[in-house]
Each structure stands twice: as structure tokens, then as C-alpha cells.
Amino acid sequence: MHGADTDGRVVAAACTIAIDDLPDGLIVTDRYGCVLAVNRAASRLTGVAMERAVGRHMNDVFPFRDHDGRDWWKALDPEGGLRTRSRAPERPLHLPGGQELYVAARLVREPERAGEVERVTITLRDGGARARLERSRADLVSTVAHELRSPLTSVKGFTATLLAKWTRFTDEQKRVMLETVNNDADRVTRLITELLDVSRIESGRLEVRRQVVDVPARAHRLIAGRVAAGEPEDRFRLIVGDNLPEMWLDQDKVDQILGNLVENALRHGRGTVTIEIESVGWGVAVSVRDEGEGIEPELAPRVFRQFWRGGNSRRRGGTGLGLFIVKGLVEAHGGTITVQRAPEGGAEFRFTVPTGTPDFASV
């Protein structure tokens, strides 16, 4: 009996450790609603300690109500209903304190098919996190609609005008209209590319196709392109350190990271835009800094969020997705990125990516 007791305690301890490792809240009750177990996540979400809940009835410690004030446990009715019923779908519920949680339940029957309910397992998810996600999705839809409306209206307007009155315009007027249509089509394409990147980053489906990349050469190419597009050559400064290691990176994504950071510095900063590339202990660090107003330290944690726009960036355009995408691309390479005040007073974005190898690249 002692050995059996000992085994029982070991099993019980193992179960306690297992449910506490779950990221979601978990409550286990018997068929009558007496609480048998509560994990740490459930205690954190509800504010009810395990010691205060175990042995008491659900409605005494977790009186969940729906938006109309109805008693969730009473509606669940584990002892009633069809004997084939095995689950209650996830739905938003409230506790008396006002916090919203998404709650689902499973009725564990013995035997599994049409048996009596032996216990009920209840999972809890943070309603605040879900609400933030839904707001983010709503913001995404709003942003897409806003950003697409202007270029598509322009494309439609100029195209319709040219089709209806082609012979009335000079060749120069036609060229101006077609160039506008072309630029607006490029703008739509860039937006769609950003949205696809956001989707891949959030779903963890971002692929990194590694090859040897000469980061200084990519930076030089980017600067040359900006100068060719009309930016003054003295607006840029490229500093390259000695003894840079061989880097196995995704060249297209490196171009995108550098391009977004330089675009951000040009749009929101002032003075010289400096790109500095140097070797660090475990890879290469790239800093992009400007001489503008910079970013206040208390705002630094927000800049890599979706739709973050600081200062007068709304007036200057942009979707607010660029830095979010940059962070996702850097982290996909196993790197990190930070923002701080530059020595010249502007903002300095610094990302570090690890040194790769051909073997690492094929993983």
C-alpha cells in the first residue's frame, strides 16, 4: 500500500507539472462542478489561486456569465443533454471583475461513447489578447482600404479619360498620365507585397533562401539607386568595417531590410543618412541612422508594431507596416534589431545577423 501511495503521489505530481506547463488556462471539475485542479495560467487569468478553488463549486469561484448575464455552468449542464455530447465550443465569457475570457469545455465520458460524464476540462484564453488581435485585423482592413483607394481611383480615372478622349491629348499629356498610372500601379504592388510579408511573418511561413551575400555591396547598390532617383549623393554615407565574415543570408530580404530602414530615415529624419557595417562577435551588425528628431525612449518599444506611425508620419504617408516587416525579416535570419538615439541626435536602427555557413544555409 505504501508503494501504491508513493506511486500515486508521483503520478499526481507529474500531472500538476504537466498542466502548469500549458500556455492556456485549464480547470478540471467533476460532473457536479466541484473543482479538481487549476493550473497556473488559469489562476493568472482569473485571479483565483488554486488553493482557493480546489474542492469548491465552479459557480462559487468561477461564476462565468455570457454577454446577456446567463450562467455558463448552468447552461453547460454536464449531467443533462444528449449522451453523445462531448464538448462546448469556445465563446467569450465574463467574470464579476469584468475581465473577458474565451472559454471552451470538453465532457470526458466513461466509456467514451455515450457514457456518464466523469469530469469536465475547461480551457481559458485571454480575451484581451483576442480583442487586440481583432482590432489589429480591423486596422489592417482599414489601412488596406485607405491605401488602395487613392491609387486605384487615379488609375481608373486616367485610364477612363485616355480611352474616352485619346485624340484630344498631346503625346506629352498622354505620357504624364501613363506615368502616373504606372507609379500608382507600383504603389498597389508594394502594398500587396507588404501584406503578404505580414501574413507570412504572423503565420511563421516566412522562407529564408540563403546564399553568400556581400552586405556592403548591397548597401552601395541601394545608395546608388537612391541617387539615380534624385536624392543628393552627399545625403548618404557608407562606413564599412574591416574583416567582415562571410555571410549566408537571403539577398532579397537583406535588400528589403536595408531599403525599408533607409526609406524610414529619409522620410522621417533629416541630414545625412549613415549606413555602418561592422563585424561583431557572432556576426555582422548594420546601423542605419539619421540626424532628425529621433525617437523618444518611451516610444522605442512601439516602433516595430504594426501600424506604428510617429510624429507627423501620417502626413508623410506610409502604411505603418515597414518596421514590423523589418523586424520579422531580421528575426527570420536568427538576428535581432533595436532602435536608439543616434550620436547626431536622430534615430539609429541597428540589426545584427549571425554568421552563417553552407550547412546552416541548407537547414
Side-chain angles (χ1 to χ4, degrees):
M1 289 297 295
H2 178 73
D5 289 343
T6 301
D7 290 343
R9 284 195 293 270
V10 170
V11 171
C15 291
T16 300
I17 293 170
I19 67 172
D20 280 341
D21 287 344
L22 294 174
D24 296 329
L26 178 67
I27 302 170
V28 183
T29 76
D30 63 17
R31 76 179 73 172
Y32 307 109
C34 179
V35 177
L36 304 176
V38 179
N39 74 347
R40 289 195 187 110
S43 294
R44 174 178 54 80
L45 290 170
T46 62
V48 178
M50 178 187 67
E51 296 79 10
R52 189 160 68 88
V54 172
R56 300 179 63 187
H57 192 272
M58 272 288 294
N59 274 343
D60 292 335
V61 283
F62 303 112
F64 293 118
R65 298 290 186 273
D66 65 16
H67 289 300
D68 295 321
R70 291 187 289 259
D71 183 330
W72 177 76
W73 180 262
K74 183 177 180 180
L76 180 65
D77 187 18
E79 296 182 89
L82 295 174
R83 295 178 72 89
T84 55
R85 186 169 60 111
S86 62
R87 61 184 294 273
E90 186 177 71
R91 60 183 302 186
L93 300 174
H94 294 272
L95 287 171
Q99 64 267 46
E100 183 181 64
L101 299 171
Y102 282 81
V103 181
R106 179 171 180 267
L107 308 179
V108 181
R109 297 179 180 272
E110 295 292 344
E112 185 175 350
R113 293 182 178 274
E116 294 287 342
V117 174
E118 291 296 318
R119 61 188 179 276
V120 181
T121 58
I122 303 163
T123 58
L124 314 177
R125 297 176 187 267
D126 184 5
R130 181 74 61 87
R132 288 191 294 273
L133 177 60
E134 290 176 353
R135 284 197 300 272
S136 177
R137 288 174 177 169
D139 287 343
L140 183 61
V141 172
S142 176
T143 297
V144 171
H146 176 76
E147 294 294 330
L148 286 177
R149 183 184 296 115
S150 177
L152 289 179
T153 299
S154 171
V155 168
K156 175 64 177 175
F158 280 119
T159 303
T161 301
L162 286 169
L163 288 172
K165 303 177 181 180
W166 179 265
T167 58
R168 299 186 188 182
F169 296 109
T170 66
D171 288 346
E172 183 60 29
Q173 288 172 324
K174 292 174 185 176
R175 177 182 295 277
V176 170
M177 289 190 212
L178 289 173
E179 286 177 347
T180 303
V181 169
N182 184 62
N183 291 335
D184 284 334
D186 287 342
R187 180 177 167 190
V188 171
T189 301
R190 285 194 300 271
L191 175 60
I192 292 172
T193 300
E194 285 186 343
L195 295 175
L196 290 173
D197 285 337
V198 169
S199 174
R200 294 185 184 110
I201 290 169
E202 289 188 328
S203 64
R205 293 184 291 107
L206 193 66
E207 294 184 5
V208 176
R209 304 180 187 277
R210 296 181 185 268
Q211 59 181 301
V212 176
V213 176
D214 186 338
V215 178
R218 306 314 297 176
H220 187 272
R221 181 176 179 274
L222 171 64
I223 292 172
R226 285 289 182 174
V227 172
E231 292 286 350
E233 188 172 357
D234 60 1
R235 181 83 195 269
F236 301 96
R237 179 173 57 184
L238 177 60
I239 303 173
V240 180
D242 298 326
N243 301 319
L244 294 179
E246 183 178 81
M247 300 300 297
W248 284 76
L249 307 167
D250 187 313
Q251 181 168 288
D252 291 338
K253 291 178 174 57
V254 168
D255 288 346
Q256 192 174 357
I257 292 167
L258 290 172
N260 280 4
L261 291 178
V262 169
E263 173 68 22
N264 183 76
L266 291 172
R267 178 178 294 173
H268 305 301
R270 293 194 302 269
T272 302
V273 175
T274 301
I275 303 175
E276 183 172 3
I277 306 168
E278 58 186 323
S279 176
V280 294
W282 54 284
V284 167
V286 181
S287 301
V288 178
R289 53 183 179 265
D290 60 69
E291 299 173 350
E293 298 175 358
I295 297 171
E296 297 299 327
E298 62 270 18
L299 298 179
R302 306 180 193 175
V303 301
F304 298 108
R305 296 178 185 174
Q306 290 184 37
F307 313 115
W308 185 86
R309 295 172 175 177
N312 59 359
S313 56
R314 285 190 182 274
R315 179 176 62 81
R316 301 183 185 180
T319 60
L321 296 173
L323 293 177
F324 172 82
I325 292 171
V326 164
K327 183 173 184 288
L329 297 179
V330 170
E331 291 179 348
H333 284 86
T336 59
I337 184 168
T338 59
V339 60
Q340 60 188 11
R341 184 171 293 277
E344 297 82 5
E348 177 179 332
F349 289 86
R350 179 182 174 89
F351 70 90
T352 307
V353 286
T355 302
T357 65
D359 293 337
F360 178 62
S362 65
V363 173

